Amino acid sequence: MNGAQALVNTLADRGVDICFANPGTSEMHFLAALENPRMKSVLCLFEGVCTGAADGYYRMADKPASTLLHLGPGLANGLANIHNAKRASVGMVNIVGEHSASHLKYDPPLTSDIEGLARPLSHWVRRAESAQSIAWDAATAVAKASEHPGQIATLILPGDTAWQDAGERVLPAPAPSARKAPDAARIDKIAEVLRSGEPALIILANKSTRGRALELAGKVAAGTGCRLGSQFFTARIERGAGRVPLERIPYAVPQGMAFLQGFKHLITVETREPVAFFSYPDKPSLLKAPGTVVHNLSEADEDSEAAFEMLIDALGIGGVAPRLQERIETPPPSGALNPTSIAHALAAALPEHCVFVDESLTTGRESMGLTMGARPHDLINNMGGSIGYGTPVATGAALACPDRRTFCMVGDGSAMYTIQSLWTQAREGLPVTTIIFANNSYAILKAEYANMGAGTPGPQALAMIDIDRPTIDWVAMAKSMGVPGVSVSTAEDFHAAMVRSVDADGPVLIEVKLY
């Protein structure tokens, strides 16, 4: 067994059974090792698609995927979506190829400081020193990526460590999987706050926005009268009919401040207090009102489900039933496309238990709040703010949940960053519906221009924001990568295209023309 085979076998033994790959010359032995039937390999045509797909896979499968990236430049191409994954507490194992040790001393053209590139966005970085150590390194990488919250682990694979004899594999003991328990005294203090009757908002994030933790949060809200919310962007929320509803803190600073104005207490769960996404002239960074007290129910690395169980016990409300979102039957809309008609089309068309990836920076801000009563679904947001995450994350989510339709709602400007995702979706036959909002502009930046107090954009500024010369033909783009597409310009046509896509065998693209 050579080092590459030892690496792949160890990844598979420790539960990493998929690799999103964009290989190069230095990774040929790793590529050969991917013939292992326990490891599914998925070709992506850009490294940012590899890392984004690994992100989406983790969010739905709750276990890390691996990537294969070609030396430092390949890692650099994937860093934007590694950033997004890190901010979403995603676990990921990045395998980065490297020249053999004997070749590096000649400073060949692809030589770079891979550790220097990886370290700012990785929790753990290691360079394999020999073929004999690589199994241990791989097992350690998986253990780090599998921690709570998820970690980014980057293992650098020099060519000679991949092709040399690995000998007998030596592995560390599997890491314990139990999460840290919250501090009981802290829970008791929060119980006192909730018993006081003063207005309180519990802000949920990461693993607390789904499963039993979300259900328990609903019991706390029903038993105490507090409200439940989330940051504007969250890694994954189980929402819709039959789920505990969460109020979304608005993105814009004035609206966010207004939303939080009436609360005396903010109670955070696996997150921090709300912060403005950007700094604006004459606007605060922290959104809470003066005098508001922030309490931490569960730290990011603690067990939020246990925290809610302890809180319910302290409050004595174990018999209370959570309040659940009712199904709101929305008739299919007609007429012009606008945020409301788009929301109604989504609410009417989304099938049960679909996955919904939202990167519609302009349209979705107004639309998503109107889909709370849709059929139950999972909503995924961009936590890191680097655009071009939507289509890769949808690709990975679909591979994690091939029996569920994945919908990806993305603006045309964002979609161009990683549109290569469509090719991978077609090759793998993935059940993904990509919805492109085509306003031929980075429309979000027009609003931000005004928010920053920069005045009215002139011709040159507008030329840096508009993407209408030439206009992108999204249907032709999709067809070129093997994905059938349709263009719609009315609400009824959009709804009809959504419904048709639900029964499609593979990926579909819908261009929504906004004027």
Side-chain angles (χ1 to χ4, degrees):
M1 183 182 296
N2 63 29
Q5 291 165 333
L7 172 54
V8 171
N9 275 312
T10 304
L11 292 174
D13 287 347
R14 294 299 168 96
V16 177
D17 54 11
I18 190 167
C19 180
F20 297 97
N22 188 278
T25 301
S26 301
E27 297 83 47
M28 289 298 101
H29 286 83
F30 187 93
L31 197 61
L34 289 177
E35 296 288 345
N36 190 318
R38 297 188 297 154
M39 178 70 72
K40 178 176 178 60
S41 51
V42 179
L43 177 60
C44 304
L45 301 186
F46 174 62
E47 293 88 346
V49 176
C50 295
T51 53
D55 178 350
Y57 187 88
Y58 176 90
R59 296 205 207 188
M60 295 309 301
D62 274 328
K63 64 177 186 177
S66 61
T67 70
L68 174 58
L69 310 173
H70 183 44
L71 289 93
L75 173 61
N77 281 341
L79 283 178
N81 275 330
I82 293 176
H83 162 80
N84 288 332
K86 184 180 182 184
R87 299 296 298 194
S89 299
V90 162
M92 182 186 302
V93 178
N94 297 309
I95 308 300
V96 184
E98 171 65 297
H99 295 299
S100 65
S102 62
H103 193 56
L104 272 175
K105 63 185 178 183
Y106 299 111
D107 191 28
L110 277 168
T111 302
S112 63
D113 181 1
I114 299 177
E115 286 94 339
L117 288 168
R119 194 165 287 114
L121 294 177
S122 301
H123 299 88
W124 179 94
V125 180
R126 181 172 296 172
R127 177 182 291 260
E129 295 297 334
S130 71
Q132 290 74 33
S133 71
I134 205 161
W136 185 285
D137 296 337
T140 306
V142 175
K144 292 299 295 183
S146 302
E147 289 182 6
H148 175 73
Q151 309 278 303
I152 305 296
T154 300
L155 177 60
I156 302 167
L157 179 65
D160 48 353
T161 67
W163 68 59
Q164 290 171 354
D165 179 38
E168 184 176 349
R169 284 192 297 156
V170 179
L171 302 174
S177 58
R179 301 181 196 170
K180 288 173 56 178
D183 177 64
R186 189 199 323 150
I187 302 293
D188 289 339
K189 288 181 180 179
I190 292 175
E192 291 179 14
V193 167
L194 293 175
R195 279 194 292 263
S196 74
E198 294 181 332
L201 175 70
I202 302 180
I203 305 172
L204 285 74
N206 202 14
K207 300 293 176 65
S208 69
T209 58
R210 50 194 170 93
R212 179 157 172 75
L214 179 59
E215 179 185 347
L216 294 172
K219 291 169 71 76
V220 172
T224 66
C226 73
R227 287 161 64 183
L228 301 178
S230 71
Q231 306 279 10
F232 187 81
F233 298 113
T234 50
R236 175 183 164 196
I237 297 179
E238 292 180 349
R239 69 196 293 266
R243 267 68 182 276
V244 172
L246 300 179
E247 300 179 69
R248 196 180 192 187
I249 298 171
Y251 174 91
V253 172
Q255 290 91 322
M257 293 175 64
F259 178 86
L260 296 173
Q261 179 66 39
F263 294 107
K264 175 66 176 176
H265 302 277
L266 300 181
I267 300 169
T268 59
V269 185
E270 296 194 52
T271 188
R272 299 177 180 177
E273 67 173 287
V275 177
F277 214 75
F278 294 103
S279 172
Y280 299 92
D282 304 320
K283 292 178 183 176
S285 293
L286 298 178
L287 303 184
K288 68 176 182 287
T292 301
V293 183
V294 179
H295 313 268
N296 191 4
L297 178 70
S298 175
E299 297 279 3
D301 62 345
E302 292 178 343
D303 188 336
S304 55
E305 183 179 322
F308 278 119
E309 288 174 340
M310 295 164 67
L311 182 60
I312 287 169
D313 185 60
L315 291 166
I317 57 172
V320 175
R323 299 170 185 166
L324 303 179
Q325 173 68 50
E326 295 181 353
R327 170 75 171 119
I328 300 174
E329 294 291 345
T330 305
S334 61
L337 285 163
N338 54 53
T340 300
S341 65
I342 288 168
H344 289 168
L346 293 171
L350 290 177
E352 280 199 6
H353 303 300
C354 68
V355 180
F356 198 97
V357 180
D358 180 23
E359 194 183 9
S360 53
L361 300 180
T362 305
T363 307
R365 285 190 190 178
E366 300 179 59
S367 295
M368 291 311 297
L370 301 175
T371 61
M372 290 291 292
R375 297 176 185 88
H377 59 279
D378 288 60
L379 174 65
I380 290 174
N381 291 133
N382 185 352
M383 298 288 288
S386 179
I387 67 176
Y389 102 105
T391 58
V393 166
T395 303
L399 279 156
C401 304
D403 56 336
R404 301 166 65 177
R405 192 81 191 171
T406 296
F407 293 84
C408 177
M409 196 163 72
V410 59
D412 49 3
S414 298
M416 281 301 293
Y417 277 57
T418 45
I419 197 62
Q420 305 94 329
S421 307
L422 296 181
W423 186 90
T424 299
Q425 292 171 16
R427 173 183 255 215
E428 298 293 329
L430 300 180
V432 179
T433 300
T434 301
I435 302 163
I436 305 283
F437 289 115
N439 54 22
N440 302 317
S441 172
Y442 292 112
I444 183 66
L445 295 183
K446 293 181 179 178
E448 294 296 271
Y449 202 96
N451 291 339
M452 279 291 184
T456 303
Q460 188 58 42
L462 285 174
M464 297 296 100
I465 295 173
D466 288 327
I467 54 174
D468 61 346
R469 292 179 290 136
T471 299
I472 300 164
D473 187 335
W474 288 103
V475 174
M477 176 91 74
K479 182 180 179 182
S480 74
M481 286 186 269
V483 176
V486 62
S487 182
V488 300
S489 56
T490 66
E492 56 264 40
D493 287 347
F494 175 46
H495 173 264
M498 285 273 293
V499 171
R500 286 194 303 272
S501 78
V502 171
D503 297 322
D505 291 332
V508 172
L509 180 137
I510 304 170
E511 178 190 26
V512 181
K513 285 187 170 293
L514 300 176
Y515 300 100

